[in-house]
Amino acid sequence: MKQNKYDDTDFFEKYSKMARSVGGLNAAGEWESLRPMLPDLNGKRVLDLGCGFGWHCRYAREQQAQSVVGVDLSEKMLERARSMTEDPHIQYVQLAIEDIAFASEQFNVVISSLALHYIERFDLICQKIHHSLTVGGSFVLSVEHPVFTSVAAQDWHYGQQGEKLHWPVDNYYLEGSRIARFLGNDVVKYHRTVAHYINVLIESGFSIKKLSEPKPTQDMLANTPGMQDELRRPMFLMIAAEKI
């Protein structure tokens, strides 16, 4: 059974109160790094996997994308996305990412933001995305960084006074599921090495155009309490790839 925590009422309410859920892309700390990795979207047919509230879908249309399909398993997420969208060129589809089966070369651009670390078989998804992209089409994704996912607790080691001593990295090469706590719930994430992400993309027929391990902006460092600690380890891994 595909994992779908977001249709749980309590979980969804907590998620809806997160800064990125309220403020959209500009409230997502990684957006300033992800945005320049996207290709020119003007006139493109775009697919967003794990679209959530539809922020990236609406951004693509703001950039004059020809059409956008947003895919998400959660009925509640898509209900919110539709309520925030007044655009006949955006279509939202309730579907597990694992179950996508789009036509050959149906899209010019595929985006997936912070969704694919919840998917067990990254290789199968890459093959499906490659099939659905035009030659030269772009696949831009972000996931939780393997340094962040290697230990299920996903938390600092603390000193006796509560100070953050270090971020633990253990069992890095032991790939597979991790049960992590998120918004007070157990969620299953899949840990993979950086090499795994890159090599699967290459083996699936992509060339790698850019990698990013974004750090906080100067504005975030100056205005967000505790943000200095985010310079101590990467939280996100971003990859821009192209179908060859």
Side-chain angles (χ1 to χ4, degrees):
M1 181 176 180
K2 312 304 189 299
Q3 183 176 211
N4 179 15
K5 294 287 186 180
Y6 293 92
D7 280 343
D8 175 86
T9 300
D10 180 65
F11 189 92
F12 182 77
E13 288 180 356
K14 290 178 180 177
Y15 179 82
S16 297
K17 295 175 182 177
M18 293 180 67
R20 66 177 59 234
S21 300
V22 176
L25 298 179
N26 291 330
E30 75 280 5
W31 175 238
E32 286 198 21
S33 297
L34 184 64
R35 180 173 52 193
M37 298 176 70
L38 297 173
D40 179 9
L41 298 175
N42 193 338
K44 302 294 175 53
R45 290 168 283 127
V46 178
L47 171 64
D48 181 5
L49 295 176
C51 66
F53 286 179
W55 297 108
H56 294 92
C57 297
R58 292 186 292 276
Y59 173 80
R61 282 288 293 149
E62 290 169 4
Q63 303 305 305
Q64 305 304 309
Q66 176 183 320
S67 61
V68 184
V69 175
V71 169
D72 205 286
L73 181 57
S74 167
E75 181 180 358
K76 288 183 180 295
M77 295 286 255
L78 293 181
E79 181 181 353
R80 181 69 61 87
R82 292 185 179 108
S83 73
M84 300 169 69
T85 303
E86 295 182 2
D87 189 333
H89 298 287
I90 298 177
Q91 176 188 7
Y92 293 113
V93 178
Q94 187 176 359
L95 186 68
I97 293 175
E98 297 94 328
D99 295 335
I100 61 171
F102 292 105
S104 175
E105 301 193 359
Q106 185 170 343
F107 302 103
N108 309 110
V109 180
V110 176
I111 303 169
S112 184
S113 176
L114 300 179
L116 295 177
H117 51 262
Y118 294 111
I119 304 301
E120 183 176 7
R121 292 292 302 274
F122 182 63
D123 57 335
L124 296 182
I125 297 303
C126 286
Q127 292 164 22
K128 290 185 176 187
I129 291 170
H130 187 273
H131 173 78
S132 68
L133 273 172
T134 55
V135 175
S138 297
F139 176 27
V140 181
L141 66 127
S142 67
V143 291
E144 290 186 353
H145 198 286
V147 164
F148 195 78
T149 60
S150 67
V151 175
Q154 296 191 316
D155 199 4
W156 300 92
H157 275 185
Y158 296 90
Q160 293 182 351
Q161 306 302 317
E163 69 276 21
K164 295 174 180 175
L165 298 178
H166 60 269
W167 185 269
V169 176
D170 197 9
N171 291 320
Y172 181 81
Y173 295 106
L174 182 62
E175 298 184 315
S177 63
R178 305 286 195 271
I179 298 178
R181 293 292 288 178
F182 179 46
L183 299 179
N185 283 255
D186 287 340
V187 296
V188 178
K189 300 180 181 181
Y190 291 91
H191 168 70
R192 306 176 182 95
T193 65
V194 173
H196 183 114
Y197 281 112
I198 298 302
N199 288 330
V200 166
L201 284 164
I202 293 171
E203 291 161 5
S204 299
F206 292 95
S207 64
I208 307 301
K209 309 305 291 185
K210 188 172 182 178
L211 297 181
S212 177
E213 300 168 296
K215 59 184 179 181
T217 64
Q218 289 301 314
D219 181 66
M220 293 170 65
L221 290 169
N223 297 301
T224 306
M227 191 55 66
Q228 286 288 338
D229 287 325
E230 297 303 312
L231 294 173
R232 298 171 62 183
R233 55 94 178 94
M235 189 172 181
F236 304 113
L237 174 67
M238 301 178 178
I239 308 171
E242 184 177 287
K243 177 177 176 176
I244 55 178

